[in-house]
Amino acid sequence: MQNIDIDMKVKLIHGFSNKTRIQILECIKNQEKTVSQIVEEISGNQSNISQHLACLKGCGIIVGRNEGKYSYYSLRNQHIRDLLTMFDTVLGDVQNDVACCDRHID
């Protein structure tokens, strides 16, 4: 088994640890979208969304491509899509505990 650097693992998981970033990932889970489409779909502001897109891209969670004056964003690969689905599955199992957790640190 490959030796995984724990700090790198924390950095990756941090990419998923923000409500806006999760909204963005869910928004582009099944198809690529432009910044404007993402902003409209999650009712955010463009500057904030752009900062979160840069974080997600920097962490390697999403990829972007330019076409004319538009930038399109999508999940990096099927593994990321599977991970988002796994989050839903695990949450279904533990959601009552998560709802009662008073030790969550923002």
Side-chain angles (χ1 to χ4, degrees), residues 22-71:
I22 293 293
Q23 288 175 305
I24 291 168
L25 294 171
E26 290 295 333
C27 178
I28 64 173
K29 187 175 181 178
N30 295 313
Q31 81 178 56
E32 68 178 5
K33 295 195 176 150
T34 65
V35 175
S36 298
Q37 290 171 315
I38 295 167
V39 166
E40 182 178 325
E41 195 166 314
I42 69 172
S43 300
N45 76 52
Q46 187 158 349
S47 175
N48 188 308
I49 299 298
S50 292
Q51 288 176 0
H52 286 293
L53 287 167
C55 174
L56 291 166
K57 192 173 178 187
C59 287
I61 296 170
I62 66 170
V63 293
R65 70 174 182 86
N66 294 322
E67 186 176 302
K69 64 179 185 172
Y70 296 102
S71 293

